[in-house]
Amino acid sequence: MKIASRTARPSAAFFLAAALTIIWSGAAWGKSTPIDDSGTQALEPALSLRWQSPRPSRSGGDNLMVGTTTIRVRVNVLPWIRRSGRIYLVLPAQPPGPVSASWVTQGRFMPGQVRSGNRVLVYAGPITTPFMEDVFKFQFSVDGNLVQRAFPLTYRFEMDEG
Amino acid sequence: MSGSAAAYTLTLAPASPKTLYLQVGVGSFTANYNAGGQPGNNTTVNKVSATVAASAVGNGTPQAMSTDSTAAKSFLDGYAYCSVPGQLYIGGFYRTAGGTTAAAQVTATVPTALTNATGDTIPFSKIQWTSSGNGDSGAEPFPAGTFVNGGVQNVGAMASNTWNESCWTFSYLNNTVPPAGTFTGVVRYTMSSP
């Protein structure tokens, strides 16, 4: 009886521990929280799209328009201070259609690229200050056939805590 | 805690998206497309001419015309598209954003007649052209035709965001007997976008 009792107890403890681990992971990594970036400022007044290639091809199809702009990004990460987190740049799918963005930074955040409808990691690590700042030099590209007129393009940052 | 979460919104605006380039005869590019060339302005007016021997005047045999244009290669990629001096290059593109489906039109403004120094005339309709291009198949964007006797006539169209080009081979119909002399006239080509 003693031997049987000793083997039963560790088994119950194992399953309990495993269940708790799964629940903890889901709560921490499954939640993405938009980050307040109201301190962000554009360093250039407008973003003008120009043909990537001034001339089309015989068969058409070379219709990419590109534009660059510089933005001083300032995100408020106070809610996550003294914790670790992963910050993503999110470019939602939006009219007039697929848009690609690429950027370089001054080092606080990571350079990268993303296509609308996706997000990409720009920071992973400890949050040590209430605000994080960097200068992003963006290049956006879009099919010129989709661009009838000026259009708004929205992106955001979000935090995965962990 | 932070204030309200936000998203940043930019405004992307097409800048000078519409570009037209038409080249009849010689043209100007800083380099071929493949090398990142840019179009330029070229004010040269090329000549297409034929000299009819006295014994052949008015015999009904079309006389091939030749050009002083040296434009044989396409500025798109340097491809040897036309054969000079027998052919005159015509080509270009219409660049516009927004997926415009209407084509840009190319027209010729034609005088009533070619004239000589004493005022004699040959109707412009005595000049016609065929259209082709090395390696081409299918319809030409600038098809064969015959000049009108004065007026504006359509000589081709360019779909947006494509490169269009043809090589024209001109001939004088030579089915009338005009007075002797050198007859000249200037045709002006114009490209108009929607």
Side-chain angles (χ1 to χ4, degrees):
Chain A
M1 288 297 290
K2 260 187 173 180
I3 293 172
S5 175
R6 284 175 63 189
T7 52
R9 258 186 246 118
S11 295
F14 168 79
F15 286 118
L16 181 60
L20 287 174
T21 301
I22 292 167
I23 293 168
W24 179 86
S25 297
W29 296 106
K31 184 181 178 187
S32 297
T33 306
I35 304 175
D36 175 14
D37 65 351
S38 54
T40 293
Q41 289 182 316
L43 299 184
E44 294 163 3
L47 197 163
S48 297
L49 291 171
R50 301 183 186 282
W51 296 111
Q52 185 179 56
S53 166
R55 294 189 298 160
S57 63
R58 280 193 181 91
S59 58
D62 188 5
N63 299 324
L64 206 61
M65 299 189 82
V66 297
T68 59
T69 191
T70 305
I71 295 175
R72 183 181 299 281
V73 170
R74 188 171 195 260
V75 292
N76 184 348
V77 290
L78 180 61
W80 300 276
I81 197 160
R82 289 185 292 278
R83 284 186 273 173
S84 289
R86 293 187 293 183
I87 299 175
Y88 292 85
L89 189 155
V90 185
L91 185 62
Q94 55 198 296
V99 175
S100 294
S102 62
W103 61 90
V104 294
T105 66
Q106 293 183 341
R108 188 76 170 104
F109 292 102
M110 292 186 281
Q113 55 188 348
V114 68
R115 189 169 172 82
S116 54
N118 295 285
R119 69 175 193 169
V120 67
L121 185 70
V122 294
Y123 179 81
I127 308 298
T128 58
T129 57
F131 293 91
M132 294 176 68
E133 293 185 22
D134 204 340
V135 175
F136 281 59
K137 290 190 173 180
F138 282 102
Q139 175 172 289
F140 295 95
S141 57
V142 59
D143 184 344
N145 286 327
L146 301 173
V147 183
Q148 292 276 7
R149 58 187 67 84
F151 65 94
L153 184 76
T154 298
Y155 69 85
R156 68 176 184 270
F157 291 92
E158 64 186 23
M159 174 76 78
D160 282 8
E161 189 180 346
Chain B
M1 291 296 288
S2 66
S4 61
Y8 197 82
T9 300
L10 293 161
T11 299
L12 281 65
S16 304
K18 185 177 286 188
T19 309
L20 291 88
Y21 177 77
L22 174 65
Q23 176 185 342
V24 183
V26 297
S28 293
F29 262 83
T30 56
N32 285 332
Y33 170 74
N34 294 344
Q38 300 285 328
N41 187 35
N42 190 317
T43 58
T44 302
V45 177
N46 285 119
K47 184 167 61 179
V48 177
S49 62
T51 300
V52 185
S55 60
V57 171
N59 67 5
T61 301
Q63 302 292 299
M65 303 179 78
S66 60
T67 178
D68 63 355
S69 166
T70 56
K73 294 182 178 179
S74 168
F75 277 124
L76 179 61
D77 51 10
Y79 178 69
Y81 189 64
C82 297
S83 302
V84 292
Q87 294 181 318
L88 182 74
Y89 179 94
I90 178 168
F93 64 84
Y94 162 40
R95 204 74 159 124
T96 183
T100 300
T101 54
Q105 300 296 319
V106 179
T107 58
T109 302
V110 189
T112 303
L114 299 100
T115 58
N116 67 4
T118 57
D120 300 313
T121 63
I122 297 175
F124 249 97
S125 60
K126 298 295 182 183
I127 297 174
Q128 64 183 13
W129 64 91
T130 60
S131 184
S132 62
N134 293 330
D136 264 6
S137 61
E140 291 292 334
F142 305 100
T146 302
F147 283 126
V148 296
N149 289 325
V152 177
Q153 67 182 112
N154 194 298
V155 296
M158 298 193 199
S160 63
N161 298 325
T162 60
W163 182 273
N164 303 263
E165 58 192 352
S166 295
C167 304
W168 280 347
T169 303
F170 287 89
S171 61
Y172 167 57
L173 293 183
N174 190 35
N175 54 5
T176 58
V177 181
T182 299
F183 294 78
T184 62
V186 177
V187 175
R188 180 182 296 275
Y189 293 91
T190 303
M191 181 177 179
S192 304
S193 70

